[in-house]
Amino acid sequence: MANFMEHKILVTGGAGYIGSHACKALAGSGYTPVVFDNLSTGHRELVKWGGFFKGDLSDKEAILSCLKKYRPAAVMHFAAYAAVGESVVNPARYYSNNVVNTLNLLDAMRSRGVDKFIFSSSCAVYGLPRSLPINEDQPLEPVNPYGRTKRMVEEILSDYSAAYGMKYASLRYFNAAGADPDGETGEAHNPETHIIPLTLAAAMGKTPFVEIFGADYKTPDGTCLRDYVHVTDLAAAHLLALKLLMKNGKNLVLNLGNGRGFSVKEVVETARLVTGKKVKAVIRARRSGDPAELVASQAMARRVLGWKPRYTRLADIIRTAWQWHRKAISLRLNDCHKP
Ligand code: UFG
């Protein structure tokens, strides 16, 4: 039986989209999440499953006092910037928050003797895929600063593990999508850049249409294919990774994806069916830096973690997002507009 201290997990970015779902999963499994968040993009209303410490990862003293106060058994690190386009025009913001601030966190953990770390990595570490589906052995050749920040942190973790005994799981998400099926949390980015919430904003009439960036790719319908993985399934994978790390202390580097690709046109069409609304779509030029197709091999996560994603159908993913977006309006959380 684990002792009480082993049940506290520090969740940076726990007021955000994926972090809040992880907090719900942790609480549902008997852990006590403690959210560390500066609320720059997260929402205080989404911190409902444990403690809250308002702080910024650039503030080493704040991290140390949080670790001292709660003495967590492990850290799940979601806090980061994640807009690929912005990382190209403002790389300093990305290297400083995603890399330097992560180092602050890791060093504070070292000095407080916290040695287990679950890291939000990304399929962006691979860059343009060599073959599909993408497995974990493909070379890491990110094509934008965002992806490079994630690769750098993976390298730091490997070095910290070898030198200081840090145990870690790097979880490379594909396209996180959907929302908590109970409607307790969901996606509320501002500005919003992701295709599913933007399509739903058009369905709600908040925007006149959704733009499709490129219909001339070498894909079945000409639009990009992405691997949309349900955020509740992502949260479940974090829990499994945490338990495994606690049990055997072996580092993990895993893709988390649906294992299937859906096109942008399929997203728009499925959103029409799920919402019953007319969604106008306008074809635009390609968005720079978009690979035609990104699909995960999820074989390793299934094998190593015993992970079985539950919400694999695009309609189910979009349905949970739709439920949430309608609720988020009344909560005034989601101003879902374009940058
Ligand atoms: N898209 C549109 N119109 C829009 C927005 C997006 O057609 O208004 C298209 C994109 O061109 C892309 C697909 O929809 O083909 C998905 O785009 P998203 O912006 O929703 O997601 P990305 O695939 O660009 O980004 C995701 C994660 C990033 C991660 C990246 C890795 O959100 O954090 O995958 O490639 F880095």
Side-chain angles (χ1 to χ4, degrees):
M1 174 91 178
N3 73 34
F4 176 71
M5 284 309 181
E6 285 177 329
H7 284 271
K8 279 201 184 138
I9 308 296
L10 188 71
V11 183
T12 75
Y17 174 40
I18 308 174
S20 61
H21 288 80
C23 288
K24 178 172 175 170
L26 284 166
S29 203
Y31 293 92
T32 303
V34 175
V35 170
F36 184 102
D37 201 300
N38 63 6
L39 300 182
S40 66
T41 56
H43 304 275
R44 183 65 182 85
E45 299 89 324
L46 300 186
V47 182
K48 11 181 170 178
W49 291 280
F52 178 59
F53 189 106
K54 186 167 183 209
D56 195 295
L57 292 173
S58 63
D59 180 351
K60 294 180 191 178
E61 289 308 316
I63 309 171
L64 282 169
S65 60
C66 180
L67 291 175
K68 196 169 167 193
K69 181 170 177 194
Y70 292 102
R71 300 170 63 195
V75 174
M76 289 190 179
H77 179 42
F78 296 93
Y81 295 137
V84 173
E86 186 193 35
S87 80
V88 176
V89 293
N90 197 352
R93 185 172 149 85
Y94 278 69
Y95 288 112
S96 138
N97 191 33
N98 295 10
V99 182
V100 177
N101 289 351
T102 299
L103 266 177
N104 291 342
L105 174 62
L106 290 171
D107 288 336
M109 286 172 61
R110 262 198 319 134
S111 72
R112 297 294 313 171
V114 183
D115 65 353
K116 296 191 180 58
F117 193 73
I118 314 265
F119 175 57
S120 299
S121 189
S122 166
C123 66
V125 295
Y126 296 112
L128 303 176
R130 296 281 177 101
S131 62
L132 294 164
I134 302 171
N135 64 34
E136 290 82 353
D137 294 333
Q138 287 210 16
L140 304 187
E141 298 168 330
V143 292
N144 50 59
Y146 168 72
R148 282 189 276 277
T149 67
K150 294 291 175 182
R151 184 181 65 184
M152 283 176 190
V153 173
E154 288 201 6
E155 286 168 346
I156 291 167
L157 288 174
S158 167
D159 290 341
Y160 271 43
S161 180
Y164 310 127
M166 178 81 72
K167 302 296 173 202
Y168 67 93
S170 279
L171 303 179
R172 297 174 178 163
Y173 318 151
F174 282 63
N175 287 52
D180 173 41
D182 303 325
E184 293 188 278
T185 183
E187 191 167 12
H189 293 124
N190 192 359
E192 185 54 77
T193 60
H194 295 110
I195 187 65
I196 293 178
L198 287 174
T199 305
L200 296 178
M204 280 181 206
K206 289 167 78 182
T207 52
F209 52 80
V210 61
E211 296 172 301
I212 294 180
F213 297 142
D216 56 352
Y217 286 94
K218 283 191 183 142
T219 56
D221 66 16
T223 64
C224 289
L225 293 165
R226 289 289 179 277
D227 180 319
Y228 297 94
V229 54
H230 198 282
V231 63
T232 297
D233 287 323
L234 286 181
H238 282 72
L239 205 61
L240 292 167
L242 173 71
K243 287 180 180 168
L244 196 59
L245 216 53
M246 299 275 209
K247 198 168 133 195
N248 71 10
K250 281 196 193 139
N251 298 333
L252 301 166
V253 178
L254 297 171
N255 286 342
L256 294 180
N258 192 334
R260 297 164 66 187
F262 299 101
S263 76
V264 178
K265 279 188 178 167
E266 276 178 280
V267 168
V268 175
E269 194 45 44
T270 307
R272 289 181 181 128
L273 291 172
V274 165
T275 64
K277 307 276 185 195
K278 290 195 175 95
V279 179
K280 188 173 174 204
V282 177
I283 308 284
R284 298 279 194 227
R286 292 182 181 195
R287 189 174 68 176
S288 81
D290 268 338
E293 197 167 341
L294 291 173
V295 180
S297 164
Q298 51 168 226
M300 181 134 45
R302 280 181 178 267
R303 194 175 66 247
V304 175
L305 297 180
W307 182 55
K308 290 189 195 74
R310 290 172 62 194
Y311 304 95
T312 56
R313 294 173 59 232
L314 186 59
D316 293 339
I317 292 173
I318 293 182
R319 188 171 298 110
T320 58
W322 177 235
Q323 279 163 10
W324 166 254
H325 281 284
R326 280 181 302 171
K327 182 171 172 181
I329 285 199
S330 56
L331 294 175
R332 307 180 76 85
L333 272 182
N334 204 347
D335 241 354
C336 184
H337 59 69
K338 286 166 56 62

